[in-house]
Every structure is written in structure tokens, then in C-alpha cells.
Amino acid sequence: MTDNTYDPSAFDTSLDTTGLYCPEPIMLMHNKVRDMVPGQVLKVIATDPATIRDVPKFCQFLGHQLLLQEESDDHYVYLIRLA
């Protein structure tokens, strides 16, 4: 579930997976969160429509909080607070 009250400009680091397709965006997210600490916010930018399904499942499986999920001009943007 997303938290629609979260400020989309407030994040600690970002990951641009534009042009990549499943499973690459999720694999890169796994690598990125390894370098982060709990409570930090990761912004993910993607063009793969499969991320609509995969990012929420990633968060649910690992206990992260999906703060924002939106689509804009063929791009998908996600904000994830690490557990």
C-alpha cells in the first residue's frame, strides 16, 4: 500500500532503470538497497510496465514501505522506505 501523503522530492538516493526490462530493475534495486540503511528512501525510475507488479511485491517480500507509486509520461516512479 502506498502512502500518498509522502513528499515525492524527499529521498536519499535514486536508481534510474530506464530502458531495462524484467528482471533487471529488481536486481538493481536489490543491489542498491544493500548500500543503504533502514529508514532511508530510495527513488526508482523505470520504464518497464512489469514494475507495476514487481516493485510492490519486492517491498512486501522484504518488508519495505512503498511510499509512492505513480506513472508519468511512460515512466514509473516509486519511493521506497527501507525496513
Side-chain angles (χ1 to χ4, degrees):
M1 178 172 287
T2 60
D3 176 359
N4 293 329
T5 63
Y6 192 78
D7 177 5
S9 66
F11 57 91
D12 297 291
T13 191
S14 64
L15 176 65
D16 187 350
T17 66
T18 301
L20 301 177
Y21 293 95
C22 186
E24 291 176 296
I26 299 301
M27 291 171 55
L28 291 174
M29 286 172 55
H30 271 290
N31 290 338
K32 188 63 130 177
V33 300
R34 286 186 186 126
D35 298 331
M36 298 175 70
V37 297
Q40 286 188 314
V41 176
L42 172 64
K43 177 180 181 179
V44 179
I45 303 163
T47 51
D48 182 5
T51 60
I52 294 171
R53 174 198 66 229
D54 294 343
V55 171
K57 291 287 186 184
F58 171 87
C59 292
Q60 181 181 20
F61 183 75
L62 296 173
H64 302 314
Q65 182 182 10
L66 182 57
L67 300 172
L68 178 77
Q69 177 178 352
E70 66 181 21
E71 181 179 352
S72 174
D73 298 326
D74 297 330
H75 282 81
Y76 305 93
V77 177
Y78 306 91
L79 291 178
I80 302 164
R81 184 186 316 273
L82 273 61

